[in-house]
Amino acid sequence: MLARYRQLLATAIFLADGVLVATAWLGAYWLRFRALGLASPLGVPPLPFYLWTGAIVTLAALLVLRTFHIYRSARTARLGDELFALVQGVGIVTALSALGSFFTRGELSRSTLLLFALLASLLLCGSRVAIRYALRQLRRHGRNLRRVLVVGTGEQAGSLVRKLREHPDFGLVVEGLVAPEASPAAEVEGIPVLGTVEDLPGLVERTGADLVYLALARSEYRAEEEALSRLGDSTAAVRLVPDLARVFTLNASVEDFDGMPIVLVTESPSQGWNAVSKRAFDIALSTLGLVTLSPLLLAVALWVRLDSPGPVLYAQERVGFNGRRFRMLKFRTMRVDAEAEGEGWTRPGDPRRTRAGVVLRALSLDELPQLWNVLLGQMSLVGPRPERPVYVDQFRASVPRYMLRHHVKAGITGWAQVNGLRGDTPLDRRIEYDLYYIRNWSVAFDIKIILLTLARVFRDASAH
């Protein structure tokens, strides 16, 4: 019954999407030629022409959207991923429409196509938000639920049960746990243990379970094989939860490689749309910073040049994204012969600093030339601070997971720095904050770190 309901809902959403795409097409025509009254060299095109092309565009849109697999039942899928897939689909259809118009006689107005893309994206995304909200409200009130059995009684199963409880809007109700073998445990996380893997087919029928999660430790692989075998002729859907409890993960996910599921254990968040949005953010703000701060940059450059002999800028080799080396720029804050006796950390009251360098370092103004590194794509505005190659070689041999911080671009500022971990501070604490940033990256998090950095700079300026 529930499977039939899911199919009916998916069909209804599919048909509704067709109606919304057609509405967006006709709405774009009306806005372009009726409401806005924008002039066209060819005059107002006949409505029947746009009706015929609208029918073709609607059919193409539905075919394109189906390729993104957005009509499957996916209670635990992220809303943001679905909305991005819808926008991508609309973009593809708009591009195909523009291409078709170009190779015919160019009868489709470009402004109409842009209006269509905007309206279709808004209507489709708005419908998904409304549908998600309605379904989650139903599930919170005990409707549209799926019964779940969890195979396992260990840490993996307990963690899964807790996560399912944290998301009642998913509508997944755990009926009970299934032990890999006879166990004295009567319950786990308040959920009763109903039996063992041998009893699994009967338990599925007795509880009416629609979904079975296999949440077993890697050492329990025989129980996993037996559970899969016993569920071979069951109507319940089966999902496998990989045991990564003893593996350090970084943005772990699963991808499909030609039909083979691959678990990504450590992965950079700077992939796909994330990479595009972060790069666009970096380009926009670094360009703005270089333009608006140009008088300050010039003044600091003159000060450094007049304060002590030597170049204005100091270029130092650092290790960045994926271990690539680059030349990081800074305003020179030390004497030219500061490293005559070898490289070393700066320290409070360092006698090698110039008079200008004392102030520039205190206010972090010596880092401003790195806006150029950001614009070139060698760095990001926010990320783990880059280290010299000699230190990287030392740290990677002695500090666990040190190289994971190079899964993102190095930054001018970072989460560790705004929490007071700058310069010669405990490395393990800095790594902890860097990895937290990588796991939880978002544009909003970057903005928060930039604002905290500016607040710290102004606070330090007031103190001086």
Side-chain angles (χ1 to χ4, degrees), residues 201-269:
L203 291 174
V204 170
E205 291 190 15
R206 179 157 61 88
T207 61
D210 307 289
L211 184 60
V212 178
Y213 281 98
L214 304 185
L216 296 160
R218 279 182 286 175
S219 59
E220 298 171 320
Y221 66 93
R222 293 190 184 280
E224 184 177 288
E225 291 175 354
E226 183 179 356
L228 289 171
S229 175
R230 292 182 179 274
L231 291 169
D233 60 352
S234 172
T235 57
V238 181
R239 295 181 182 174
L240 179 63
V241 182
D243 179 19
L244 301 177
R246 293 170 180 79
V247 177
F248 183 85
T249 60
L250 189 68
N251 300 309
S253 61
V254 178
E255 72 174 7
D256 185 291
F257 179 66
D258 194 22
M260 177 185 293
I262 305 293
V263 178
L264 308 179
V265 178
T266 58
E267 187 70 12
S268 169

Side-chain angles (χ1 to χ4, degrees), residues 1 14 30 99 123 273 297 302 324 327 329 346 398 447:
M1 184 68 182
F14 180 75
W30 180 80
L99 193 64
L123 289 174
W273 176 248
L297 293 169
L302 288 173
R324 300 189 191 119
R327 305 288 289 181
L329 300 176
T346 56
S398 59
I447 294 173

